[in-house]
Amino acid sequence: MSTKPPISIEFFPPQTSEGVEKLRATRARLAELKPEFFSVTFGAGGSTQARTFETVFETQREGYEAAPHLSCIGSTREHVREILKRYQDAGIHRIVALRGDLPSGVGDPGELRYANELVEFIRAETGNHFHIEVAAYPEYHPQARSPKDDLLAFKRKVEAGANSAITQYFYNLDAYLHFRDECAALGVNVPIVPGIMPIVSFSKLARFSDACGAEIPRWMRRKFESFGDDSESIKAFGLDVVGELCARLIEAGAPGLHFYSMNQAGPTLALCERLGLQG
């Protein structure tokens, strides 16, 4: 591969002191890849908000660019304004703006109901201070009424001021290429960075994929199922198929790769080593 695409890596906020220590070690190992930024997730309705702040600010203190996720569902403009000011004051310059999901049992969607409204609000409040990432769904959002509705929702986020997008993970290259072409046909030309989910445990991946609408192709499912509890074969096959997917994405001109690390260093490091993407 003649050119190395930029990479970025996602973490979730640890829930325990042991998790905090583990993430510090993970971040130090993954920093060797020289990612453009580390993103940090934000739970349903901001349920991990305090831990998100702690993880973001610690990442930044260590000298890395941190990109906090910010979801708007179930929140108020004033609350979002306070968070934006806190990030501005801390010198954060990149945000992943998401609608998010309502926590179970909460019925009020809040004052900002959709991601495009959040993007518009961030721009109105902070101008061009933040590089705004938004989500994209090559296999379409599971709650979208139709593929066309989902594409138009994505277009609205870009028109509201998003700079670039990170996709839900996928294992079907054609889904990404088709989505990219459809966006271009609509005049949506921001970089759409593929989200990459390394495969370590097939049973966990299958449950998560069924819930979020990411397809695991039948041939992959059957192969994984044939390994039973043979975790080493699952990891080896996962590395093969995801490595091949990444190589083909790079060859197809993907503007970068965003790795969902699940707070583990090994799987992402193994993929980047195979792809020749070490820092």
Side-chain angles (χ1 to χ4, degrees):
M1 293 157 210
S2 56
T3 58
K4 292 183 180 180
I7 69 168
S8 51
I9 300 170
E10 180 181 291
F11 300 131
F12 59 82
Q15 298 186 29
T16 64
S17 57
E18 293 81 3
V20 170
E21 291 297 329
K22 180 189 171 190
L23 182 56
R24 284 177 185 145
T26 295
R27 191 163 51 231
R29 291 182 65 196
L30 290 174
E32 297 171 8
L33 298 172
K34 295 183 169 54
E36 274 199 328
F37 61 90
F38 290 120
S39 68
V40 183
T41 64
F42 192 74
S47 58
T48 65
Q49 180 177 302
R51 296 197 301 275
T52 297
F53 284 138
E54 292 164 6
T55 306
V56 166
F57 296 145
E58 180 171 298
T59 299
Q60 189 192 36
R61 284 196 301 272
E62 291 176 353
Y64 312 121
E65 181 168 2
H69 288 209
L70 177 58
S71 62
C72 61
I73 198 81
S75 190
T76 65
R77 285 180 173 82
E78 183 55 36
H79 184 57
V80 174
R81 183 180 290 118
E82 291 171 2
I83 293 172
L84 292 172
K85 184 171 190 316
R86 189 167 179 184
Y87 285 144
Q88 274 187 294
D89 291 346
I92 301 294
H93 285 278
R94 188 183 292 260
I95 276 182
V96 182
L98 308 165
R99 185 196 71 170
D101 299 312
L102 270 177
S104 60
V106 178
D108 183 7
E111 297 176 3
L112 299 166
R113 298 169 300 156
Y114 302 106
N116 65 292
E117 295 176 355
L118 175 59
V119 173
E120 188 175 7
F121 183 74
I122 294 171
R123 284 286 175 242
E125 291 291 316
T126 65
N128 290 320
H129 177 86
F130 292 107
H131 179 112
I132 301 176
E133 307 270 2
V134 292
Y137 298 88
E139 294 169 323
Y140 309 115
H141 194 285
Q143 295 174 359
R145 287 175 294 182
S146 71
K148 182 178 180 181
D149 281 346
D150 197 51
L151 280 167
L152 293 176
F154 179 62
K155 183 180 183 183
R156 286 193 291 273
K157 290 189 283 191
V158 174
E159 290 174 340
N163 299 101
S164 53
I166 299 168
T167 76
Q168 172 66 278
Y169 70 86
F170 57 90
Y171 299 107
N172 184 335
L173 175 67
D174 288 339
Y176 171 80
L177 298 178
H178 181 71
F179 180 81
R180 186 179 67 178
D181 291 347
E182 285 194 307
C183 289
L186 282 175
V188 179
N189 295 308
V190 298
I192 301 173
V193 177
I196 305 299
M197 178 69 83
I199 300 174
V200 178
S201 165
F202 175 66
S203 58
K204 289 181 181 177
L205 178 71
R207 286 195 301 272
F208 191 56
S209 298
D210 291 343
C212 71
E215 181 189 21
I216 302 174
R218 176 178 166 80
W219 70 273
M220 284 177 56
R221 276 188 181 264
R222 293 299 302 273
K223 187 95 171 196
F224 277 120
E225 288 165 358
S226 75
F227 294 131
D229 295 328
D230 183 353
S231 60
E232 290 308 309
S233 293
I234 289 170
K235 290 178 184 177
F237 180 61
L239 181 59
D240 286 343
V241 294
V242 180
E244 177 66 16
L245 172 65
C246 291
R248 294 174 68 193
L249 283 164
I250 294 168
E251 186 178 340
L257 298 173
H258 181 79
F259 292 95
Y260 296 110
S261 77
M262 304 304 289
N263 289 18
Q264 298 180 57
T268 298
L269 286 170
L271 279 169
C272 289
E273 180 178 1
R274 178 166 294 199
L275 295 163
L277 297 180
Q278 299 99 318

